[in-house]
Amino acid sequence: MEVAVRTLAGGGLVAIPTETVYGLGAAINSDIAIAKIFAVKGRPQDHPLIVHIADIEQLQFVASSIPLDALKIAHACWPGPITLLLQRGDQVPTTVTGGRETVAVRIPDNAFTRQLITKLGSPIVAPSANRFGKVSPTNAQHVCDDLQGDVDLIVDDGACSIGVESTIIDFSVSPPQLLRPGGIPIEDIEHILGFAIGSSDGVSRASGMLQSHYRPQCQVVLVENDEEAAGLTARLTPQQLPSRVLNRCENLPNYASSLYNDLRQADDDNIQTLIAVLPSNTGLGAAIIDRLVKAAAPI
Ligand code: TXA
Ligand code: MG
């Protein structure tokens, strides 16, 4: 903990555990460290970062106004895998928000990381700790495989329990819009709010909304069920082999928490074609489908 605090305070990068995926963290007030995040990730400058805070009191320093509905979700779901998009507060540099007047913020459900933010005395900005466009890391080894040498410290707190990124809801518009399906199902949020969330208006407003993202090396092909997977497997050419079928539809939390590891494992095992069976589009299924569709998209 002390080394992590010192590293961040000194303008270094620390890979931090969260319940969704590992983040590549920097102190929000370190311009140097923020610039390093973009350089290390190979991330375009206009792709904003999520601000991680330790408690709801810190929200007032990050956002200039907090709609009541946003506050309701914050109280009900934090710490947890949901990110709120709000009007940017003065203390948030525009390098963090990609030049926008909105800011994305959440309280992660990881005790070490929350304590780190508290001891540092300022929020930590962090994108997922992977190179831009690649598969997100859900354990410390994944971070090590991707970023070793480019990150000052990796905090190993085991595997992420949720395994897909946070749900992002834009509360800077009315009605609120879903920017990215994630760890908290949209149905749960609508239930708390008592009304329906709009879908995003089609513009690529979040980098995770690009068509191709979360991509492994192997070709990912999507099918509806096991029969289709078997039929496709039988038709593969020798160049498309070896192949593997991915189907964890009977247990969606398990599908989500294993997904990025499954994609990485396929590459480690030199699989050429990964045939993934799509879950139904409810609950966590929406986030799993979103990531699989992006993993399968042409570059
Ligand atoms: O679960 C998570 O959200 C993880 C952990 C580390 O917290 N973080 C994560 O960060 O997924 P990243 O950078 O991979 O994705 C953040 C997404 C991006 O798609 C980014 O464009 C969007 O949030 N975002 C952040 N600030 C935004 C803003 N002001 N307006 C629109 N989108 C924003
Ligand atoms: Mg990411």
Side-chain angles (χ1 to χ4, degrees):
M1 179 63 77
E2 300 317 316
V3 177
V5 172
R6 228 181 305 130
T7 305
L8 289 169
L13 296 183
V14 176
I16 51 167
T18 84
E19 77 283 32
T20 58
V21 301
Y22 274 70
L24 182 61
I28 194 168
N29 45 22
S30 173
D31 295 342
I32 293 172
I34 290 168
K36 270 193 252 174
I37 287 183
F38 286 94
V40 166
K41 277 204 64 135
R43 181 176 175 117
Q45 299 285 341
D46 61 347
H47 282 224
L49 309 175
I50 293 179
V51 176
H52 297 74
I53 57 175
D55 48 63
I56 288 193
E57 286 66 53
Q58 280 184 312
L59 199 50
Q60 57 189 309
F61 302 110
V62 172
S64 63
S65 74
I66 305 152
L68 278 180
D69 285 329
L71 207 55
K72 203 169 172 183
I73 294 299
H75 280 288
C77 303
W78 281 350
I82 181 153
T83 296
L84 308 180
L85 205 71
L86 303 168
Q87 291 301 325
R88 182 179 69 89
D90 293 343
Q91 297 182 35
V92 179
T94 49
T95 44
V96 168
T97 66
R100 297 159 201 237
E101 285 309 313
T102 51
V103 60
V105 56
R106 81 180 190 99
I107 301 182
D109 190 10
N110 180 282
F112 180 94
T113 292
R114 283 202 309 277
Q115 208 186 343
L116 177 58
I117 296 164
T118 303
K119 293 202 169 190
L120 181 66
S122 72
I124 294 177
V125 296
S128 51
N130 54 285
R131 309 268 181 206
F132 186 65
K134 301 291 187 202
V135 179
S136 300
T138 50
N139 63 44
Q141 186 62 52
H142 293 162
V143 181
C144 208
D145 293 344
D146 288 358
L147 300 181
Q148 203 177 23
D150 285 334
V151 53
D152 299 297
L153 182 71
I154 300 172
V155 177
D156 185 351
D157 195 17
C160 302
S161 58
I162 304 285
V164 290
E165 294 85 347
S166 58
T167 306
I168 306 180
I169 308 278
D170 185 355
F171 278 97
S172 72
V173 293
S174 184
Q177 286 183 3
L178 174 67
L179 291 191
R180 178 176 72 184
I184 292 191
I186 195 68
E187 297 93 325
D188 293 7
I189 297 159
E190 292 180 333
H191 181 75
I192 295 163
L193 289 175
F195 59 83
I197 297 281
S199 56
S200 100
D201 52 15
V203 196
S204 196
R205 297 172 65 193
S207 71
M209 295 171 76
L210 291 177
Q211 227 178 5
S212 165
H213 210 74
Y214 315 105
R215 264 190 68 88
Q217 295 295 312
C218 62
Q219 181 67 51
V220 177
V221 184
L222 308 178
V223 296
E224 298 292 334
N225 51 47
D226 279 328
E227 293 69 54
E228 233 185 275
L232 183 63
T233 303
R235 293 194 304 276
L236 293 176
T237 64
Q239 291 78 23
Q240 293 172 307
L241 296 172
S243 68
R244 175 176 292 167
V245 175
L246 174 61
N247 182 1
R248 299 184 187 272
C249 293
E250 73 292 343
N251 184 338
L252 292 188
N254 176 249
Y255 208 157
S257 62
S258 312
L259 182 60
Y260 291 143
N261 192 61
D262 286 336
L263 294 177
R264 284 165 182 269
Q265 193 63 50
D267 282 344
D268 289 349
D269 296 342
N270 206 23
I271 295 294
Q272 297 302 305
T273 310
L274 184 67
I275 302 173
V277 181
L278 291 167
S280 62
N281 191 11
T282 54
L284 269 179
I288 296 165
I289 292 172
D290 175 78
R291 305 310 189 267
L292 283 174
V293 166
K294 282 163 184 158
I299 298 172

